[in-house]
Amino acid sequence: QNVFKEFVKNEFRFAIDDFGTGYSNYGYMRDRTFDIVKVDRSFVTDIDKLKDNYLMVSFIIKMAHEMGLHVCIEGVETKEELSCVKRLGATESNNIAIRGLVDYGKKNGKMHIITTAIEHKAVLETVKHLSENGFEVEFIKPGISGRVNASDVLDKVREDTLLVSVMHVNNETGIIQPVKEIGDALNQKDVLFHVDATQSCGKLVDEIRGIKYNMLSFSAHKLMGPQGVGVLVLKKNRYKLPPVKNIMYGGQQEHGIRPGTIPVALVAGCGMACEIASAEYKENAKKAIDIKKSVLQELDASGVEYSINGDPEYCVDTTINVSLKGVSSEALMISTKQFCGVSNGSACTSKSYSPSYVLVAMGLDNDTIECSLRISWGAGTNKDEAIKGIRGLLDVAKQFSL
């Protein structure tokens, strides 16, 4: 323990200090980071208290592991039932969760995968790669609501089904998918269940705690953490982790699943962001509801004809996908950069000007899709600024629709 304390004092303090300074313009993270780990510029203020919160063993890499693990599923299971792989983000986590099962699937004759047609590209392109290498993949489409039916997913499960992968919240529409129902049904079956919780982690905290999954992935920056780090949560079943193998080679880090030096400062930031989100998500949820109500009021008052894409009953309070009749979303985005940041798809497909594959899968017509915008806000969004931004956007939209 003394060796560990000296290691933290001499080595890890720099990583934390560098993290705090590097993100000093993000006061939301900065103040809380230093309040927790630093008093009078000394990292080792209360090493035992910090250890109680974050550590299981006395080595710095394990410390990094537990920083992410403790806070992302706090209150769900005991630490012994879970493990976490911290990497570059949800894209890599999704790849590991899916491609890491290839050997197991081939060895056990389980070559069937079920997912939805509206998943993030990190899932869709990964399973497409597997379909070109001997696996059979079935894609479940949603209805006009933007939500897949749990029964449509479960009806496809077979003896040779290896994996079901369904996102918790769609990144373009904000529609919540029935992952709890699917997880409950799969819990007693010999089928692995992966949930991409990138859009819900830190927001739908209580809902995530109730999902029965084998693997869950998310990115830190979606809950105001640093960019460049994400988490793949692996839940033990009968004391065994999911049979995920490494898809890269070169080391034994992260249980041998993902080699390479662990980015300790980023992991610390991820853990702290999760802890803050866990403490503040109820307050943030009330704020998000208030902003969404204001956005809808501005839409109603604008006189611009619009339609909401997806069933509002199942939509998160931080996102709305709306089509403004007769207004090209591409032209509107270019003309309103000074007011607010909106998109007509996910950031990961922003280089492509093809119609949104999510809205296409929902069965929307081309005119509706071409006029669609995704408007979203988060914990750091100021209500007055949001109203000002949407008003500026709608003023331009009125001119386009004349």
Side-chain angles (χ1 to χ4, degrees):
Q1 193 149 355
N2 289 333
V3 172
F4 166 70
K5 287 183 179 180
E6 285 301 309
F7 186 84
V8 171
K9 181 178 179 181
N10 296 328
E11 301 294 335
F12 193 64
R13 172 182 158 188
F14 171 77
I16 289 291
D17 284 355
D18 183 63
F19 169 77
T21 304
Y23 288 83
S24 60
N25 58 331
Y26 293 100
Y28 183 84
M29 291 294 297
R30 180 194 63 212
D31 293 338
R32 289 163 175 77
T33 300
F34 287 164
D35 286 347
I36 293 294
V37 301
K38 180 175 173 183
V39 173
D40 296 329
R41 294 196 171 273
S42 172
F43 175 71
V44 281
T45 20
D46 191 345
I47 196 68
D48 293 323
K49 182 178 180 181
L50 192 66
K51 186 167 75 71
D52 288 342
N53 287 335
Y54 291 117
L55 311 180
M56 280 178 64
V57 294
S58 60
F59 189 66
I60 192 63
I61 293 180
K62 278 292 184 182
M63 177 178 179
H65 277 293
E66 293 309 307
M67 278 184 143
L69 175 58
H70 167 70
V71 289
C72 64
I73 41 278
E74 182 180 9
V76 188
E77 309 283 355
T78 63
K79 292 180 182 179
E80 288 74 15
E81 293 173 325
L82 295 153
S83 183
C84 285
V85 178
K86 272 73 64 186
R87 285 296 108 183
L88 294 179
T91 293
E92 185 174 351
S93 296
N94 288 339
N95 269 263
I96 294 172
I98 298 169
R99 291 172 57 203
L101 296 174
V102 168
D103 288 347
Y104 176 83
K106 289 181 176 179
K107 180 180 179 181
N108 291 275
K110 297 175 77 67
M111 303 282 286
H112 180 238
I113 295 173
I114 302 168
T115 189
T116 79
I118 58 172
E119 297 298 305
H120 190 276
K121 288 289 187 180
V123 170
L124 291 179
E125 293 185 4
T126 302
V127 297
K128 179 183 177 182
H129 171 75
L130 265 59
S131 71
E132 295 169 350
N133 288 272
F135 283 81
E136 180 184 352
V137 181
E138 294 197 62
F139 300 91
I140 310 301
K141 289 186 177 182
I144 196 74
S145 68
R147 179 178 165 97
V148 299
N149 291 321
S151 59
D152 290 345
V153 175
L154 297 170
D155 287 347
K156 295 293 184 180
V157 175
R158 312 184 316 212
E159 288 294 322
D160 65 338
T161 300
L162 169 66
L163 173 71
V164 174
S165 181
V166 180
M167 61 179 12
H168 192 185
V169 174
N170 184 263
N171 51 306
E172 292 193 24
T173 63
I175 300 299
I176 302 168
Q177 303 303 317
V179 291
K180 186 183 187 307
E181 296 93 322
I182 295 170
D184 288 346
L186 293 176
N187 190 47
Q188 300 302 319
K189 297 181 181 292
D190 186 24
V191 177
L192 293 164
F193 184 38
H194 167 244
V195 176
D196 181 350
T198 303
Q199 296 294 328
S200 61
C201 192
K203 303 178 182 73
L204 304 182
V205 175
D206 293 329
E207 290 82 348
I208 290 176
R209 287 171 175 162
I211 302 171
K212 294 177 180 176
Y213 60 85
N214 302 104
M215 300 175 287
L216 180 144
S217 51
F218 68 91
S219 288
H221 69 274
K222 295 297 185 180
L223 47 144
M224 298 188 71
Q227 290 184 331
V229 64
V231 176
L232 174 62
V233 182
L234 304 175
K235 183 180 288 188
K236 287 184 178 180
N237 181 19
R238 297 177 183 175
Y239 308 104
K240 291 184 179 180
L241 291 173
V244 176
K245 300 296 182 184
N246 56 301
I247 61 175
M248 295 173 60
Y249 301 90
Q252 290 301 309
Q253 293 92 341
E254 309 277 21
H255 307 283
I257 293 173
R258 207 302 192 171
T261 302
I262 295 171
V264 176
L266 295 180
V267 171
C270 177
M272 187 57 61
C274 289
E275 181 167 319
I276 292 169
S278 180
E280 299 181 359
Y281 74 95
K282 291 182 180 179
E283 177 186 339
N284 292 336
K286 293 178 182 178
K287 182 178 174 182
I289 291 171
D290 193 29
I291 292 176
K292 189 168 191 175
K293 186 184 297 184
S294 297
V295 169
L296 291 172
Q297 288 173 347
E298 293 299 326
L299 283 165
D300 289 336
S302 69
V304 177
E305 188 175 348
Y306 75 93
S307 59
I308 295 175
N309 300 320
D311 189 341
E313 180 183 351
Y314 296 108
C315 189
V316 292
D317 292 313
T318 53
T319 301
I320 183 173
N321 191 300
V322 60
S323 291
L324 306 180
K325 188 174 181 180
V327 180
S328 165
S329 59
E330 290 289 344
L332 189 59
M333 286 190 298
I334 293 171
S335 303
T336 58
K337 290 181 179 179
Q338 70 272 35
F339 300 118
C340 57
V342 294
S343 68
N344 62 351
S346 68
C348 301
T349 58
S350 60
K351 295 294 184 182
S352 170
Y353 293 100
S354 58
S356 162
Y357 68 88
V358 172
L359 300 185
V360 169
M362 289 168 56
L364 300 182
D365 61 79
N366 288 336
D367 288 341
T368 301
I369 294 173
E370 289 176 4
C371 297
S372 67
L373 284 173
R374 178 185 67 170
I375 307 171
S376 59
W377 47 93
T381 304
N382 177 279
K383 178 182 174 180
D384 292 338
E385 291 177 352
I387 293 173
K388 181 180 178 181
I390 196 69
R391 284 178 180 173
L393 182 144
L394 291 170
D395 285 343
V396 176
K398 289 178 191 177
Q399 299 176 34
F400 284 169
S401 60
L402 293 176

